[in-house]
Amino acid sequence: MSRVSNTIEQDIDTKLEASDRIPLFPRKRERIKQTEEIRQGLIEVLDLKYCIGMLNLIAQRNSNLGRVMQPSQQMAYEIRFFSNLESCKEKLEQDSTQPQQLRHQIDAIYQVKARNLKNEIWNGIYGADEFAANFSRSEDAISTEGESGFGATKSAIDTLTMLAAISPENAGQFDLSRLSNLEDSYKTLHTNRYGSRLLKSLLLLSETMERTSAAIHERLDKRPFCFPGHQTQKRDILHNVFIKYYGQRFQPYLSRVHREGDQWRDFTEKLIGQFEPTSAVRTHHEQTLSSTSESSLWNRYITARDAHTKAWQRILGQCNLMPQR
């Protein structure tokens, strides 16, 4: 901004601070959904030995470690439990030797777990600190040089998308072995925190482009920067600034942030679209990465980008410096 300011002789405030203007991600209690509890007496639980592997799962859940499961671990447990329960229910339907009481018991548990499943997956994603870290205010903007972190995050995104698609209707076809590396994906999300850095970048880019556009228009509204047929030193300086700094530095960075950021935005929209989000999470999405909310950070960035392009076109056109196709 300072080079444009000096070139067009128009003041631009170059002090940028974005952290306090990024909407806060909702607190955990505003993100978590309530689920129904199942209370089983000891004898009733023992009856579940008919369901292969079920008692082991219940024992894991009731162990000391099981009682303090992280959201991602509890989600994985619930997916495994539901899958095993569904297999047991199908097996029981083909077995006429078992008592009706067991059928009622299995069916009752199945109904509760089916109602819970989407909320358990929601909690496993949106309740996890690793996921929340991608919406914090704490990270720096994406660097103009080096890796953005998006490449490493992409596989974790794919994992969450896969999990979000699980429902009572298709859980039986889900390959449970895909849960074995789940914690690696969560670790990647926590380490890279791409989403947090993207939000910071979008806001800083928006303010940079808004201020630059306003300055260019304000300068041209007062008097022309170039006059027909005049080859001035200011025109040459403007051309140099556009080529060297806008074309070779700013534009490539903008393109990279947009390309990767658009994929992250698309992921968040598809992810939240798989659920009925809590009101707090829905509001935060509308404030940040929603493509349909006019006031979102994403759409503010898009508006600023388009206005910035038009401002440069205006001054370059006046100086007969528009790039030739």
Side-chain angles (χ1 to χ4, degrees):
M1 287 190 291
S2 59
R3 295 183 186 278
V4 175
S5 176
N6 293 335
T7 301
I8 66 176
E9 298 177 335
Q10 186 71 36
D11 289 339
I12 303 177
D13 182 6
T14 59
K15 185 178 180 180
L16 299 171
E17 178 52 56
S19 294
D20 60 350
R21 290 191 294 282
I22 296 174
L24 284 170
F25 199 52
R27 290 167 292 187
K28 180 173 283 191
R29 68 171 179 266
E30 297 174 306
R31 307 192 313 263
I32 292 294
K33 291 186 175 185
Q34 295 300 313
T35 57
E36 296 180 56
E37 292 286 341
I38 295 179
R39 301 297 182 189
Q40 296 286 343
L42 177 59
I43 296 178
E44 291 175 309
V45 170
L46 288 175
D47 286 340
L48 290 179
K49 62 188 177 184
Y50 179 81
C51 303
I52 298 174
M54 196 69 73
L55 287 179
N56 286 337
L57 283 172
I58 293 173
Q60 291 173 22
R61 185 69 179 91
N62 291 323
S63 68
N64 290 334
L65 289 177
R67 294 191 183 98
V68 291
M69 283 182 175
Q70 294 299 309
S72 59
Q73 296 168 338
Q74 183 167 337
M75 172 183 62
Y77 164 82
E78 293 294 342
I79 293 172
R80 289 190 179 98
F81 190 98
F82 187 84
S83 180
N84 275 270
L85 186 64
E86 187 171 56
S87 297
C88 181
K89 187 172 181 293
E90 292 175 355
K91 174 186 173 184
L92 193 57
E93 289 172 355
Q94 306 298 321
D95 188 350
S96 59
T97 66
Q98 297 302 312
Q100 195 66 25
Q101 180 183 355
L102 180 59
R103 299 177 193 280
H104 289 323
Q105 180 188 17
I106 296 297
D107 188 63
I109 297 174
Y110 179 85
Q111 294 302 323
V112 173
K113 290 297 185 180
R115 289 194 294 269
N116 280 347
L117 187 59
K118 289 301 288 188
N119 286 350
E120 295 286 5
I121 296 173
W122 166 273
N123 290 343
I125 297 174
Y126 285 90
D129 292 340
E130 297 90 341
F131 185 70
N134 282 272
F135 299 92
S136 74
R137 293 172 162 182
S138 61
E139 298 302 306
D140 294 331
I142 295 170
S143 174
T144 56
E145 299 178 0
E147 291 295 325
S148 66
F150 181 76
T153 303
K154 185 67 169 60
S155 62
I157 288 174
D158 292 339
T159 296
L160 295 190
T161 303
M162 169 196 69
L163 294 171
I166 298 174
S167 69
E169 292 73 30
N170 62 27
Q173 288 75 52
F174 180 73
D175 181 2
L176 295 178
S177 67
R178 302 182 74 177
L179 296 173
S180 59
N181 296 322
L182 182 59
E183 293 308 311
D184 290 341
S185 295
Y186 277 74
K187 182 178 179 181
T188 297
L189 287 170
H190 187 269
T191 301
N192 287 283
R193 305 189 181 196
Y194 174 82
S196 175
R197 291 190 282 137
L198 173 65
L199 291 177
K200 181 74 69 67
S201 300
L202 290 176
L203 193 47
L204 293 177
L205 280 170
S206 296
E207 294 199 351
T208 296
M209 293 186 290
E210 288 166 352
R211 295 179 191 183
T212 301
S213 301
I216 291 174
H217 287 305
E218 187 175 351
R219 171 64 178 82
L220 296 181
D221 288 344
K222 289 190 292 189
R223 61 188 185 280
F225 188 79
C226 291
F227 294 90
H230 288 221
Q231 299 287 335
T232 65
Q233 184 180 15
K234 286 183 178 180
R235 177 184 180 275
D236 294 338
I237 294 174
L238 178 70
H239 188 233
N240 181 65
V241 168
F242 176 74
I243 296 297
K244 187 174 181 180
Y245 297 100
Y246 179 83
Q248 296 179 6
R249 296 187 185 180
F250 184 80
Q251 185 60 38
Y253 176 72
L254 181 70
S255 296
R256 179 162 65 103
V257 171
H258 180 90
R259 181 178 64 255
E260 296 176 348
D262 193 41
Q263 292 181 64
W264 177 266
R265 178 207 56 77
D266 185 59
F267 153 70
T268 61
E269 293 214 317
K270 287 181 178 178
L271 184 66
I272 204 170
Q274 295 277 2
F275 304 97
E276 181 59 39
T278 66
S279 59
V281 172
R282 181 190 293 108
T283 297
H284 181 268
H285 179 69
E286 291 171 350
Q287 293 172 334
T288 53
L289 294 172
S290 171
S291 62
T292 57
S293 173
E294 293 183 3
S295 60
S296 69
L297 290 182
W298 178 262
N299 277 333
R300 177 187 174 185
Y301 150 74
I302 293 295
T303 299
R305 181 202 62 181
D306 294 346
H308 189 244
T309 299
K310 290 179 180 178
W312 273 106
Q313 289 173 341
R314 183 183 178 191
I315 194 170
L316 292 175
Q318 188 181 96
C319 297
N320 196 29
L321 290 173
M322 283 293 293
Q324 299 298 314
R325 293 184 179 180

